[in-house]
Every structure is written in C-alpha cells, then in structure tokens.
Amino acid sequence: GAVVSQHPSWVICKSGTSVKIECRSLDFQATTMFWYRQFPKQSLMLMATSNEGSKATYEQGVEKDKFLINHASLTLSTLTVTSAHPEDSSFYICSALPGQADYEQYFGPGTRLTVT
Amino acid sequence: GQQLNQSPQSMFIQEGEDVSMNCTSSSIFNTWLWYKQDPGEGPVLLIALYKAGELTSNGRLTAQFGITRKDSFLNISASIPSDVGIYFCAGQGGAQKLVFGQGTRLTINP
C-alpha cells in the first residue's frame, strides 16, 4: 500500500509554455502533499506544501505565481510550471502524507522536466 | 534556514564492506529519517528515528538518533551490489516539513 504516482514521468517543453505535473495517492487519502525540486547531483529542496481545499504554502524564494499548486481532492495535487524557462529544468518530486504518522511521507517517482 | 550536513559526499567500496555515513545539524529535529534514492526515482524510506539516543535496525541497516537531536548516523553492513544509490538523511521539523542532507553517493565494486 501507500503508493504515490506522478504523471508524466518526463516532459519536454518549449521555453515560455506551461506544463502541468500530477501527483496522485493511489490507495490512501492525503490531506497534505509536498512538492520538491531536485537539480542534478543535488538534494531535494522543498518548494511548497499543498493542503487539500486551501492555498498552498510556499517556501522562501519559490515564486507562487510561477509554480501554481492545486490540491483539489484528497488524492490529487497538481503543480503547474508557468512560462517555463530552461533554468526550470529539474526533477520534480511530490510526496503525500497519509496522516497516520507524522513522519510517513510517501514519495512519488518524480517527473523530469526539460525546457528547451 | 535549517541545514543538514551529510558526509561523506561519496563512497567507493568493495562488495562485502561495511558503510558508515552521518548527518549533523545546527537545529534540533523531532524525527530523523534515512532514505535511499535510485537514479530517476523518488526516495524510499529506510529507517525512521523518533527518540534521542534511539538505535534502530532494518536488516543490514542500523541508524542512531543522536542524544542531542542534532545528528544521526547510518551503517550498512556487508554491502551488496543493490545497495548502490544515493542515501539521504532528513530531519522533520515543524509542519511535518522535511529538510534533506546533501546525500551520500555509494558505489560498490564487485
């Protein structure tokens, strides 16, 4: 159990376009999901906390108007990278919190975004 | 902001050897976790530590939560090829947020 999926697994888009990444908890409900960004050979950096039915909370330095987060249901959160630029190319990973234990975040497989 | 210092950054060992890596922090965390990440995948939880001084094992893996709540180590005994990957420590603080270390890249020579 406790499986988190992401779609797409990889995407290539042109500079200036927007791309949406989905994060789904497949067999549990998650009131809280997290979005991370990971550049090559670097660690995961938390971008924002996504709460079902309310606005996302963004970490310092993350532009909320550029990285739009929607957590419309207990099993789905989406991250939209608007007006993407090559520097937005990265590995985007989500995690979901079932709520049974504070620490137990389950991570998705990640989405590799390449902006050309 | 909170930061975790993880060392070593990389390790090159022979199959069968033991591995040790550690993390330190300037801040206190309620929970320490150790994850493994394979290339192109999300992290997978290996061990979670809740109490200061706690020593926990998961198969060939052993981890301890430092008594000051500012450090932790992970040991892997008798390494095997599938242990290859990147290991991350993470501290959980307020609002269930995780702060990750820089990672330790483990390479094993057969």
PDB file of all heavy atoms in Angstrom, chain A residues 60-94:
ATOM      1  N   GLN A  60      10.380  29.960   1.161  1.00  0.00           N
ATOM      2  CA  GLN A  60      11.016  31.231   0.825  1.00  0.00           C
ATOM      3  C   GLN A  60      11.807  31.095  -0.471  1.00  0.00           C
ATOM      4  O   GLN A  60      12.561  30.136  -0.660  1.00  0.00           O
ATOM      5  CB  GLN A  60      11.946  31.662   1.962  1.00  0.00           C
ATOM      6  CG  GLN A  60      12.496  33.063   1.821  1.00  0.00           C
ATOM      7  CD  GLN A  60      13.291  33.495   3.042  1.00  0.00           C
ATOM      8  OE1 GLN A  60      13.524  32.700   3.944  1.00  0.00           O
ATOM      9  NE2 GLN A  60      13.699  34.735   3.070  1.00  0.00           N
ATOM     10  N   GLY A  61      11.602  32.044  -1.359  1.00  0.00           N
ATOM     11  CA  GLY A  61      12.330  32.042  -2.621  1.00  0.00           C
ATOM     12  C   GLY A  61      11.615  31.333  -3.754  1.00  0.00           C
ATOM     13  O   GLY A  61      12.085  31.379  -4.901  1.00  0.00           O
ATOM     14  N   VAL A  62      10.503  30.678  -3.492  1.00  0.00           N
ATOM     15  CA  VAL A  62       9.738  29.986  -4.526  1.00  0.00           C
ATOM     16  C   VAL A  62       8.586  30.889  -4.957  1.00  0.00           C
ATOM     17  O   VAL A  62       7.779  31.317  -4.130  1.00  0.00           O
ATOM     18  CB  VAL A  62       9.194  28.640  -4.014  1.00  0.00           C
ATOM     19  CG1 VAL A  62       8.355  27.960  -5.102  1.00  0.00           C
ATOM     20  CG2 VAL A  62      10.331  27.741  -3.572  1.00  0.00           C
ATOM     21  N   GLU A  63       8.530  31.181  -6.250  1.00  0.00           N
ATOM     22  CA  GLU A  63       7.512  32.103  -6.761  1.00  0.00           C
ATOM     23  C   GLU A  63       6.166  31.406  -6.898  1.00  0.00           C
ATOM     24  O   GLU A  63       6.007  30.494  -7.718  1.00  0.00           O
ATOM     25  CB  GLU A  63       7.938  32.633  -8.126  1.00  0.00           C
ATOM     26  CG  GLU A  63       9.254  33.393  -8.123  1.00  0.00           C
ATOM     27  CD  GLU A  63       9.653  33.771  -9.539  1.00  0.00           C
ATOM     28  OE1 GLU A  63       8.859  34.453 -10.212  1.00  0.00           O
ATOM     29  OE2 GLU A  63      10.749  33.376  -9.979  1.00  0.00           O
ATOM     30  N   LYS A  64       5.205  31.838  -6.132  1.00  0.00           N
ATOM     31  CA  LYS A  64       3.900  31.182  -6.158  1.00  0.00           C
ATOM     32  C   LYS A  64       3.154  31.408  -7.468  1.00  0.00           C
ATOM     33  O   LYS A  64       2.323  30.584  -7.870  1.00  0.00           O
ATOM     34  CB  LYS A  64       3.038  31.649  -4.983  1.00  0.00           C
ATOM     35  CG  LYS A  64       2.715  33.126  -5.001  1.00  0.00           C
ATOM     36  CD  LYS A  64       1.841  33.494  -3.797  1.00  0.00           C
ATOM     37  CE  LYS A  64       1.461  34.969  -3.823  1.00  0.00           C
ATOM     38  NZ  LYS A  64       0.610  35.351  -2.662  1.00  0.00           N
ATOM     39  N   ASP A  65       3.438  32.513  -8.143  1.00  0.00           N
ATOM     40  CA  ASP A  65       2.761  32.770  -9.411  1.00  0.00           C
ATOM     41  C   ASP A  65       3.379  31.991 -10.557  1.00  0.00           C
ATOM     42  O   ASP A  65       2.770  31.871 -11.627  1.00  0.00           O
ATOM     43  CB  ASP A  65       2.808  34.263  -9.740  1.00  0.00           C
ATOM     44  CG  ASP A  65       2.008  35.083  -8.740  1.00  0.00           C
ATOM     45  OD1 ASP A  65       1.012  34.544  -8.216  1.00  0.00           O
ATOM     46  OD2 ASP A  65       2.375  36.244  -8.484  1.00  0.00           O
ATOM     47  N   LYS A  66       4.565  31.487 -10.343  1.00  0.00           N
ATOM     48  CA  LYS A  66       5.219  30.699 -11.378  1.00  0.00           C
ATOM     49  C   LYS A  66       4.935  29.206 -11.187  1.00  0.00           C
ATOM     50  O   LYS A  66       4.773  28.477 -12.151  1.00  0.00           O
ATOM     51  CB  LYS A  66       6.728  30.923 -11.339  1.00  0.00           C
ATOM     52  CG  LYS A  66       7.474  30.141 -12.402  1.00  0.00           C
ATOM     53  CD  LYS A  66       8.912  30.551 -12.487  1.00  0.00           C
ATOM     54  CE  LYS A  66       9.592  29.781 -13.602  1.00  0.00           C
ATOM     55  NZ  LYS A  66       8.998  30.069 -14.923  1.00  0.00           N
ATOM     56  N   PHE A  67       4.879  28.790  -9.957  1.00  0.00           N
ATOM     57  CA  PHE A  67       4.624  27.387  -9.641  1.00  0.00           C
ATOM     58  C   PHE A  67       3.248  27.298  -8.971  1.00  0.00           C
ATOM     59  O   PHE A  67       3.119  27.427  -7.758  1.00  0.00           O
ATOM     60  CB  PHE A  67       5.715  26.833  -8.726  1.00  0.00           C
ATOM     61  CG  PHE A  67       7.088  26.869  -9.336  1.00  0.00           C
ATOM     62  CD1 PHE A  67       7.979  27.886  -9.021  1.00  0.00           C
ATOM     63  CD2 PHE A  67       7.489  25.887 -10.229  1.00  0.00           C
ATOM     64  CE1 PHE A  67       9.261  27.920  -9.582  1.00  0.00           C
ATOM     65  CE2 PHE A  67       8.753  25.909 -10.801  1.00  0.00           C
ATOM     66  CZ  PHE A  67       9.640  26.929 -10.479  1.00  0.00           C
ATOM     67  N   LEU A  68       2.245  27.058  -9.804  1.00  0.00           N
ATOM     68  CA  LEU A  68       0.875  27.027  -9.320  1.00  0.00           C
ATOM     69  C   LEU A  68       0.539  25.635  -8.802  1.00  0.00           C
ATOM     70  O   LEU A  68       0.725  24.642  -9.498  1.00  0.00           O
ATOM     71  CB  LEU A  68      -0.094  27.414 -10.450  1.00  0.00           C
ATOM     72  CG  LEU A  68       0.117  28.801 -11.065  1.00  0.00           C
ATOM     73  CD1 LEU A  68      -0.889  29.038 -12.187  1.00  0.00           C
ATOM     74  CD2 LEU A  68       0.003  29.886 -10.011  1.00  0.00           C
ATOM     75  N   ILE A  69       0.024  25.586  -7.591  1.00  0.00           N
ATOM     76  CA  ILE A  69      -0.317  24.308  -6.974  1.00  0.00           C
ATOM     77  C   ILE A  69      -1.804  24.273  -6.677  1.00  0.00           C
ATOM     78  O   ILE A  69      -2.360  25.214  -6.113  1.00  0.00           O
ATOM     79  CB  ILE A  69       0.497  24.081  -5.689  1.00  0.00           C
ATOM     80  CG1 ILE A  69       1.968  23.885  -6.042  1.00  0.00           C
ATOM     81  CG2 ILE A  69      -0.033  22.872  -4.909  1.00  0.00           C
ATOM     82  CD1 ILE A  69       2.888  23.809  -4.849  1.00  0.00           C
ATOM     83  N   ASN A  70      -2.426  23.168  -7.074  1.00  0.00           N
ATOM     84  CA  ASN A  70      -3.841  22.948  -6.838  1.00  0.00           C
ATOM     85  C   ASN A  70      -4.029  21.581  -6.196  1.00  0.00           C
ATOM     86  O   ASN A  70      -3.610  20.571  -6.745  1.00  0.00           O
ATOM     87  CB  ASN A  70      -4.618  23.036  -8.160  1.00  0.00           C
ATOM     88  CG  ASN A  70      -6.112  22.990  -7.946  1.00  0.00           C
ATOM     89  OD1 ASN A  70      -6.599  22.635  -6.879  1.00  0.00           O
ATOM     90  ND2 ASN A  70      -6.859  23.341  -8.966  1.00  0.00           N
ATOM     91  N   HIS A  71      -4.651  21.559  -5.033  1.00  0.00           N
ATOM     92  CA  HIS A  71      -4.900  20.293  -4.333  1.00  0.00           C
ATOM     93  C   HIS A  71      -6.416  20.153  -4.215  1.00  0.00           C
ATOM     94  O   HIS A  71      -6.991  20.395  -3.158  1.00  0.00           O
ATOM     95  CB  HIS A  71      -4.229  20.362  -2.958  1.00  0.00           C
ATOM     96  CG  HIS A  71      -4.102  19.038  -2.279  1.00  0.00           C
ATOM     97  ND1 HIS A  71      -3.121  18.781  -1.355  1.00  0.00           N
ATOM     98  CD2 HIS A  71      -4.815  17.908  -2.372  1.00  0.00           C
ATOM     99  CE1 HIS A  71      -3.241  17.556  -0.901  1.00  0.00           C
ATOM    100  NE2 HIS A  71      -4.260  17.000  -1.501  1.00  0.00           N
ATOM    101  N   ALA A  72      -7.033  19.782  -5.308  1.00  0.00           N
ATOM    102  CA  ALA A  72      -8.487  19.820  -5.416  1.00  0.00           C
ATOM    103  C   ALA A  72      -9.190  18.646  -4.763  1.00  0.00           C
ATOM    104  O   ALA A  72     -10.382  18.714  -4.472  1.00  0.00           O
ATOM    105  CB  ALA A  72      -8.892  19.893  -6.882  1.00  0.00           C
ATOM    106  N   SER A  73      -8.488  17.558  -4.549  1.00  0.00           N
ATOM    107  CA  SER A  73      -9.110  16.397  -3.914  1.00  0.00           C
ATOM    108  C   SER A  73      -8.115  15.751  -2.965  1.00  0.00           C
ATOM    109  O   SER A  73      -6.943  16.135  -2.922  1.00  0.00           O
ATOM    110  CB  SER A  73      -9.556  15.381  -4.968  1.00  0.00           C
ATOM    111  OG  SER A  73      -8.456  14.635  -5.444  1.00  0.00           O
ATOM    112  N   LEU A  74      -8.590  14.781  -2.214  1.00  0.00           N
ATOM    113  CA  LEU A  74      -7.733  14.119  -1.226  1.00  0.00           C
ATOM    114  C   LEU A  74      -6.732  13.158  -1.852  1.00  0.00           C
ATOM    115  O   LEU A  74      -5.923  12.561  -1.141  1.00  0.00           O
ATOM    116  CB  LEU A  74      -8.599  13.379  -0.205  1.00  0.00           C
ATOM    117  CG  LEU A  74      -9.336  14.267   0.791  1.00  0.00           C
ATOM    118  CD1 LEU A  74     -10.318  13.458   1.613  1.00  0.00           C
ATOM    119  CD2 LEU A  74      -8.349  14.989   1.709  1.00  0.00           C
ATOM    120  N   THR A  75      -6.788  12.987  -3.164  1.00  0.00           N
ATOM    121  CA  THR A  75      -5.856  12.075  -3.814  1.00  0.00           C
ATOM    122  C   THR A  75      -5.084  12.720  -4.956  1.00  0.00           C
ATOM    123  O   THR A  75      -4.311  12.046  -5.645  1.00  0.00           O
ATOM    124  CB  THR A  75      -6.607  10.845  -4.373  1.00  0.00           C
ATOM    125  OG1 THR A  75      -7.592  11.296  -5.323  1.00  0.00           O
ATOM    126  CG2 THR A  75      -7.282  10.054  -3.259  1.00  0.00           C
ATOM    127  N   LEU A  76      -5.279  14.014  -5.176  1.00  0.00           N
ATOM    128  CA  LEU A  76      -4.629  14.632  -6.328  1.00  0.00           C
ATOM    129  C   LEU A  76      -4.138  16.036  -6.011  1.00  0.00           C
ATOM    130  O   LEU A  76      -4.889  16.869  -5.507  1.00  0.00           O
ATOM    131  CB  LEU A  76      -5.588  14.689  -7.511  1.00  0.00           C
ATOM    132  CG  LEU A  76      -5.103  15.467  -8.745  1.00  0.00           C
ATOM    133  CD1 LEU A  76      -3.882  14.803  -9.365  1.00  0.00           C
ATOM    134  CD2 LEU A  76      -6.235  15.578  -9.768  1.00  0.00           C
ATOM    135  N   SER A  77      -2.877  16.272  -6.311  1.00  0.00           N
ATOM    136  CA  SER A  77      -2.308  17.616  -6.276  1.00  0.00           C
ATOM    137  C   SER A  77      -1.614  17.846  -7.608  1.00  0.00           C
ATOM    138  O   SER A  77      -0.994  16.925  -8.156  1.00  0.00           O
ATOM    139  CB  SER A  77      -1.311  17.771  -5.134  1.00  0.00           C
ATOM    140  OG  SER A  77      -0.676  19.043  -5.170  1.00  0.00           O
ATOM    141  N   THR A  78      -1.725  19.044  -8.136  1.00  0.00           N
ATOM    142  CA  THR A  78      -1.053  19.358  -9.394  1.00  0.00           C
ATOM    143  C   THR A  78      -0.117  20.540  -9.213  1.00  0.00           C
ATOM    144  O   THR A  78      -0.392  21.462  -8.442  1.00  0.00           O
ATOM    145  CB  THR A  78      -2.058  19.675 -10.516  1.00  0.00           C
ATOM    146  OG1 THR A  78      -2.841  20.807 -10.132  1.00  0.00           O
ATOM    147  CG2 THR A  78      -2.968  18.495 -10.779  1.00  0.00           C
ATOM    148  N   LEU A  79       0.987  20.480  -9.925  1.00  0.00           N
ATOM    149  CA  LEU A  79       1.964  21.561  -9.966  1.00  0.00           C
ATOM    150  C   LEU A  79       2.056  22.029 -11.407  1.00  0.00           C
ATOM    151  O   LEU A  79       2.350  21.230 -12.300  1.00  0.00           O
ATOM    152  CB  LEU A  79       3.331  21.079  -9.488  1.00  0.00           C
ATOM    153  CG  LEU A  79       4.518  22.024  -9.712  1.00  0.00           C
ATOM    154  CD1 LEU A  79       4.393  23.266  -8.841  1.00  0.00           C
ATOM    155  CD2 LEU A  79       5.845  21.311  -9.425  1.00  0.00           C
ATOM    156  N   THR A  80       1.766  23.294 -11.644  1.00  0.00           N
ATOM    157  CA  THR A  80       1.885  23.845 -12.988  1.00  0.00           C
ATOM    158  C   THR A  80       3.038  24.826 -13.019  1.00  0.00           C
ATOM    159  O   THR A  80       3.049  25.800 -12.255  1.00  0.00           O
ATOM    160  CB  THR A  80       0.584  24.557 -13.413  1.00  0.00           C
ATOM    161  OG1 THR A  80      -0.499  23.623 -13.380  1.00  0.00           O
ATOM    162  CG2 THR A  80       0.719  25.106 -14.826  1.00  0.00           C
ATOM    163  N   VAL A  81       3.994  24.544 -13.875  1.00  0.00           N
ATOM    164  CA  VAL A  81       5.110  25.449 -14.085  1.00  0.00           C
ATOM    165  C   VAL A  81       4.708  26.388 -15.220  1.00  0.00           C
ATOM    166  O   VAL A  81       4.556  25.955 -16.369  1.00  0.00           O
ATOM    167  CB  VAL A  81       6.398  24.694 -14.442  1.00  0.00           C
ATOM    168  CG1 VAL A  81       7.575  25.659 -14.584  1.00  0.00           C
ATOM    169  CG2 VAL A  81       6.712  23.630 -13.386  1.00  0.00           C
ATOM    170  N   THR A  82       4.503  27.641 -14.894  1.00  0.00           N
ATOM    171  CA  THR A  82       4.033  28.592 -15.913  1.00  0.00           C
ATOM    172  C   THR A  82       5.209  29.317 -16.552  1.00  0.00           C
ATOM    173  O   THR A  82       6.229  29.561 -15.905  1.00  0.00           O
ATOM    174  CB  THR A  82       3.091  29.624 -15.293  1.00  0.00           C
ATOM    175  OG1 THR A  82       3.812  30.376 -14.305  1.00  0.00           O
ATOM    176  CG2 THR A  82       1.909  28.945 -14.621  1.00  0.00           C
ATOM    177  N   SER A  83       5.053  29.619 -17.829  1.00  0.00           N
ATOM    178  CA  SER A  83       6.088  30.334 -18.578  1.00  0.00           C
ATOM    179  C   SER A  83       7.471  29.745 -18.263  1.00  0.00           C
ATOM    180  O   SER A  83       8.368  30.426 -17.762  1.00  0.00           O
ATOM    181  CB  SER A  83       6.060  31.822 -18.237  1.00  0.00           C
ATOM    182  OG  SER A  83       6.951  32.544 -19.062  1.00  0.00           O
ATOM    183  N   ALA A  84       7.592  28.484 -18.571  1.00  0.00           N
ATOM    184  CA  ALA A  84       8.812  27.754 -18.204  1.00  0.00           C
ATOM    185  C   ALA A  84      10.032  28.285 -18.944  1.00  0.00           C
ATOM    186  O   ALA A  84       9.946  28.704 -20.109  1.00  0.00           O
ATOM    187  CB  ALA A  84       8.620  26.272 -18.508  1.00  0.00           C
ATOM    188  N   HIS A  85      11.158  28.273 -18.255  1.00  0.00           N
ATOM    189  CA  HIS A  85      12.434  28.660 -18.834  1.00  0.00           C
ATOM    190  C   HIS A  85      13.437  27.535 -18.625  1.00  0.00           C
ATOM    191  O   HIS A  85      13.244  26.677 -17.755  1.00  0.00           O
ATOM    192  CB  HIS A  85      12.930  29.963 -18.211  1.00  0.00           C
ATOM    193  CG  HIS A  85      12.141  31.156 -18.620  1.00  0.00           C
ATOM    194  ND1 HIS A  85      11.093  31.640 -17.880  1.00  0.00           N
ATOM    195  CD2 HIS A  85      12.234  31.947 -19.712  1.00  0.00           C
ATOM    196  CE1 HIS A  85      10.567  32.695 -18.495  1.00  0.00           C
ATOM    197  NE2 HIS A  85      11.239  32.901 -19.602  1.00  0.00           N
ATOM    198  N   PRO A  86      14.514  27.529 -19.376  1.00  0.00           N
ATOM    199  CA  PRO A  86      15.499  26.434 -19.232  1.00  0.00           C
ATOM    200  C   PRO A  86      15.981  26.228 -17.803  1.00  0.00           C
ATOM    201  O   PRO A  86      16.244  25.084 -17.403  1.00  0.00           O
ATOM    202  CB  PRO A  86      16.626  26.893 -20.163  1.00  0.00           C
ATOM    203  CG  PRO A  86      15.937  27.660 -21.239  1.00  0.00           C
ATOM    204  CD  PRO A  86      14.828  28.392 -20.535  1.00  0.00           C
ATOM    205  N   GLU A  87      16.056  27.285 -17.024  1.00  0.00           N
ATOM    206  CA  GLU A  87      16.517  27.130 -15.637  1.00  0.00           C
ATOM    207  C   GLU A  87      15.512  26.406 -14.755  1.00  0.00           C
ATOM    208  O   GLU A  87      15.822  26.052 -13.608  1.00  0.00           O
ATOM    209  CB  GLU A  87      16.867  28.491 -15.024  1.00  0.00           C
ATOM    210  CG  GLU A  87      15.750  29.506 -15.041  1.00  0.00           C
ATOM    211  CD  GLU A  87      15.837  30.430 -16.253  1.00  0.00           C
ATOM    212  OE1 GLU A  87      16.329  29.988 -17.325  1.00  0.00           O
ATOM    213  OE2 GLU A  87      15.392  31.595 -16.132  1.00  0.00           O
ATOM    214  N   ASP A  88      14.280  26.219 -15.272  1.00  0.00           N
ATOM    215  CA  ASP A  88      13.279  25.442 -14.544  1.00  0.00           C
ATOM    216  C   ASP A  88      13.439  23.941 -14.777  1.00  0.00           C
ATOM    217  O   ASP A  88      12.755  23.131 -14.136  1.00  0.00           O
ATOM    218  CB  ASP A  88      11.865  25.861 -14.963  1.00  0.00           C
ATOM    219  CG  ASP A  88      11.564  27.314 -14.636  1.00  0.00           C
ATOM    220  OD1 ASP A  88      12.055  27.787 -13.582  1.00  0.00           O
ATOM    221  OD2 ASP A  88      10.870  27.976 -15.439  1.00  0.00           O
ATOM    222  N   SER A  89      14.315  23.583 -15.700  1.00  0.00           N
ATOM    223  CA  SER A  89      14.574  22.163 -15.960  1.00  0.00           C
ATOM    224  C   SER A  89      15.088  21.512 -14.684  1.00  0.00           C
ATOM    225  O   SER A  89      16.075  21.968 -14.093  1.00  0.00           O
ATOM    226  CB  SER A  89      15.605  22.014 -17.081  1.00  0.00           C
ATOM    227  OG  SER A  89      15.127  22.566 -18.291  1.00  0.00           O
ATOM    228  N   SER A  90      14.415  20.471 -14.262  1.00  0.00           N
ATOM    229  CA  SER A  90      14.770  19.841 -12.996  1.00  0.00           C
ATOM    230  C   SER A  90      13.967  18.566 -12.837  1.00  0.00           C
ATOM    231  O   SER A  90      13.154  18.205 -13.693  1.00  0.00           O
ATOM    232  CB  SER A  90      14.470  20.798 -11.827  1.00  0.00           C
ATOM    233  OG  SER A  90      14.947  20.290 -10.602  1.00  0.00           O
ATOM    234  N   PHE A  91      14.198  17.881 -11.731  1.00  0.00           N
ATOM    235  CA  PHE A  91      13.443  16.683 -11.356  1.00  0.00           C
ATOM    236  C   PHE A  91      12.476  17.118 -10.270  1.00  0.00           C
ATOM    237  O   PHE A  91      12.901  17.591  -9.214  1.00  0.00           O
ATOM    238  CB  PHE A  91      14.429  15.615 -10.854  1.00  0.00           C
ATOM    239  CG  PHE A  91      13.870  14.231 -10.741  1.00  0.00           C
ATOM    240  CD1 PHE A  91      13.188  13.657 -11.797  1.00  0.00           C
ATOM    241  CD2 PHE A  91      14.046  13.481  -9.602  1.00  0.00           C
ATOM    242  CE1 PHE A  91      12.681  12.370 -11.711  1.00  0.00           C
ATOM    243  CE2 PHE A  91      13.553  12.187  -9.500  1.00  0.00           C
ATOM    244  CZ  PHE A  91      12.862  11.632 -10.549  1.00  0.00           C
ATOM    245  N   TYR A  92      11.192  17.008 -10.535  1.00  0.00           N
ATOM    246  CA  TYR A  92      10.173  17.443  -9.580  1.00  0.00           C
ATOM    247  C   TYR A  92       9.565  16.206  -8.929  1.00  0.00           C
ATOM    248  O   TYR A  92       9.093  15.289  -9.610  1.00  0.00           O
ATOM    249  CB  TYR A  92       9.091  18.276 -10.275  1.00  0.00           C
ATOM    250  CG  TYR A  92       9.603  19.616 -10.745  1.00  0.00           C
ATOM    251  CD1 TYR A  92      10.220  19.748 -11.992  1.00  0.00           C
ATOM    252  CD2 TYR A  92       9.502  20.742  -9.935  1.00  0.00           C
ATOM    253  CE1 TYR A  92      10.723  20.972 -12.414  1.00  0.00           C
ATOM    254  CE2 TYR A  92       9.996  21.970 -10.354  1.00  0.00           C
ATOM    255  CZ  TYR A  92      10.615  22.077 -11.594  1.00  0.00           C
ATOM    256  OH  TYR A  92      11.118  23.293 -12.006  1.00  0.00           O
ATOM    257  N   ILE A  93       9.583  16.179  -7.605  1.00  0.00           N
ATOM    258  CA  ILE A  93       9.116  15.020  -6.845  1.00  0.00           C
ATOM    259  C   ILE A  93       8.041  15.475  -5.866  1.00  0.00           C
ATOM    260  O   ILE A  93       8.197  16.506  -5.201  1.00  0.00           O
ATOM    261  CB  ILE A  93      10.267  14.365  -6.051  1.00  0.00           C
ATOM    262  CG1 ILE A  93      11.459  14.048  -6.966  1.00  0.00           C
ATOM    263  CG2 ILE A  93       9.799  13.107  -5.347  1.00  0.00           C
ATOM    264  CD1 ILE A  93      12.688  13.574  -6.212  1.00  0.00           C
ATOM    265  N   CYS A  94       6.975  14.702  -5.777  1.00  0.00           N
ATOM    266  CA  CYS A  94       5.946  15.002  -4.793  1.00  0.00           C
ATOM    267  C   CYS A  94       5.963  13.922  -3.706  1.00  0.00           C
ATOM    268  O   CYS A  94       6.502  12.823  -3.909  1.00  0.00           O
ATOM    269  CB  CYS A  94       4.564  15.079  -5.424  1.00  0.00           C
ATOM    270  SG  CYS A  94       3.897  13.490  -5.942  1.00  0.00           S
TER     271      CYS A  94
END
